[in-house]
Amino acid sequence: MNDEPQAPAALAERVAIQLAAPVAAEVRAFAAALGEAAGARAVLFYGSNLRTGSLEGVLDFYVLTPGEQLERIWPRVSYHERQAGEITLRAKVATMSLQGFAKAAAGELTDTTIWARFVQPSALAWASDDTAESDVTAAIAGAAMTAAQLAAALGPETGTAEEYWRALFKATYQAEFRVEKEGRENDILSVNAEHFAGLLPLALEAKSIVVERSGDKLTPKLTEPERVRILDWWKKRRRRGKPLNFVRLLKASTTFEGATRYAAWKIERHTGMPVEVTPFRERHPILAAPGVLFALWRHRRKRETR
C-alpha cells in the first residue's frame, strides 16, 4: 500500500510549514546569537509570544546542541537579555542536545514535557544548516505522533479531534508540577485552533494507526492490546511526572540566573497572585519555595470559595 509511506511524509511537510512560521527579526537575531554562542545546531522559539508576535514579557527558546545528551537532568535553563534598539528583550532559554530532544519527542524517554509541549506551535528561529533543519522537523513530527497516539488511547472510542486533544492535555498537565489554572487545555485548543485542525488524523496515520472519519467525528482503530500498551507506557511516565518536574525546578533554581524574578512573573501571569521578590528569596530560592507554594495554595483556595 502506498498510504503508509505517504503519511509520515505528509506530516513532515506540515511540520516544516509550521516551523517556518513568521518570526520577528528581533527574535531571529536573538535566536542566532544564542545558537552561535552555544555552538548549537538549532534554536526553537515557542510560547505565547510566538502566537502574538509581541516582544514584551519573556521569550521562550530551546537551544539544541550537537552530540549526546550528557546531563541526566535536562534541559539546562538560563535567562538572557538582549538590547534591540530601545527595547530590552528578555528570554528564558532551555538548552539540551538535539539528539536527546528527538528521543524525548519520540517518547523513548520517561519525560512527559517535550512531546506534549512541541505538539503545540513552535518555530525554527535559527538553524546551523539544512541537515539540522531536517532533524528538527523529524523531531517535531515525532512529538506529534507520540502525543496523537496517547490522545487516541485516552480519548473516547469515537469523538471530535478536540475531545482527543483535550483528554491528552488534561492528563499531561495533571502529571506535571505546574502553576497554570485548571482548564488550561481548553485555552491551548481555542487559541491554537488553526494549528491543531487536521493534525490528529495525520499524526495517527503517520504512526500507522488507521482513522475512520464521519463528519467531524474520528474513530482511531486501536486494538485492545495497542491501547493497553500505550496506556501502560503513559502510566510509567505519569507516575514520574511530578517528581521529575520538581527535580528540574530544583536544578533550575540553582542554575537559572534571575530564576526568582522569572518565577514570580510566571506565577502572577498565570494565577493573578503577586509574589514579592525579596532579597532572601533571591539568595535562597529553594528555602523560599515552600512559602510561595503555600501562599499560592491559599490564593487558589480563596478564589474557589468565592
Side-chain angles (χ1 to χ4, degrees):
M1 296 287 292
N2 291 330
D3 290 347
E4 290 188 6
Q6 288 174 352
L11 178 62
E13 182 179 357
R14 177 181 172 128
V15 168
I17 293 171
Q18 166 224 310
L19 289 173
V23 172
E26 296 90 340
V27 173
R28 290 200 181 275
F30 203 162
L34 291 169
E36 291 167 0
R41 296 193 65 203
V43 179
L44 285 165
F45 176 52
Y46 66 103
S48 60
N49 290 71
L50 170 62
R51 185 183 74 254
T52 64
S54 173
L55 299 178
E56 296 181 355
V58 177
L59 308 175
D60 290 297
F61 292 105
Y62 248 80
V63 174
L64 303 174
T65 59
E68 296 183 5
Q69 180 62 40
L70 300 179
E71 294 171 299
R72 295 185 64 183
I73 304 300
W74 45 260
R76 185 172 69 256
V77 183
S78 56
Y79 174 78
H80 298 260
E81 293 186 355
R82 177 183 172 87
Q83 206 65 26
E86 297 182 356
I87 302 172
T88 300
L89 302 179
R90 298 173 174 84
K92 177 171 69 72
V93 179
T95 302
M96 66 182 297
S97 77
L98 176 51
Q99 183 181 106
F101 180 88
K103 286 182 178 180
E108 296 175 15
L109 307 180
T110 56
D111 175 69
T112 62
T113 59
I114 297 295
W115 46 267
R117 181 61 198 79
F118 285 95
V119 70
Q120 301 172 53
S122 60
L124 184 56
W126 177 86
S128 60
D129 53 40
D130 291 343
T131 301
E133 184 173 342
S134 296
D135 289 347
V136 171
T137 299
I140 300 298
M145 289 187 282
T146 303
Q149 74 166 2
L150 180 57
L154 291 172
E157 182 177 346
T158 297
T160 64
E162 288 76 14
E163 288 175 309
Y164 289 104
W165 288 127
R166 190 172 293 111
L168 171 84
F169 289 123
K170 184 175 182 178
T172 54
Y173 273 112
Q174 289 175 346
E176 296 176 12
F177 193 78
R178 303 180 68 94
V179 299
E180 277 83 349
K181 63 183 180 181
E182 187 176 352
R184 173 65 173 160
E185 64 276 6
N186 297 318
D187 296 337
I188 292 173
L189 294 172
S190 63
V191 300
N192 297 305
E194 183 178 350
H195 170 81
F196 284 105
L199 178 60
L200 183 66
L202 194 63
L204 287 174
E205 288 162 3
K207 196 70 176 173
S208 299
I209 297 173
V210 175
V211 180
E212 292 183 354
R213 299 176 175 88
S214 178
D216 67 344
K217 299 288 187 178
L218 305 175
T219 305
K221 306 303 289 185
L222 281 176
T223 65
E224 192 55 29
E226 285 175 325
R227 187 183 301 276
V228 169
R229 176 185 59 80
I230 294 167
L231 292 178
D232 283 346
W233 170 90
W234 169 238
K235 286 175 185 176
K236 294 176 183 177
R237 284 149 183 82
R238 184 185 61 196
R239 285 196 299 267
R240 299 175 184 177
K242 281 186 172 66
L244 181 56
N245 271 245
F246 186 69
V247 170
R248 285 174 175 165
L249 285 171
L250 289 179
K251 178 184 177 181
S253 71
T254 61
T255 61
F256 183 179
E257 183 181 352
T260 301
R261 292 184 181 278
Y262 171 75
W265 170 83
K266 184 85 168 176
I267 290 171
E268 183 170 3
R269 182 188 184 199
H270 286 288
T271 70
M273 186 190 83
V275 178
E276 183 183 2
V277 180
T278 64
F280 174 80
R281 285 175 174 170
E282 285 199 288
R283 289 195 305 271
H284 308 288
I286 295 176
L287 294 176
V292 174
L293 291 174
F294 180 68
L296 178 59
W297 176 79
R298 292 184 62 186
H299 175 77
R300 283 178 163 169
R301 292 276 295 179
K302 187 176 180 180
R303 288 177 56 182
E304 290 171 358
T305 56
R306 285 178 181 173

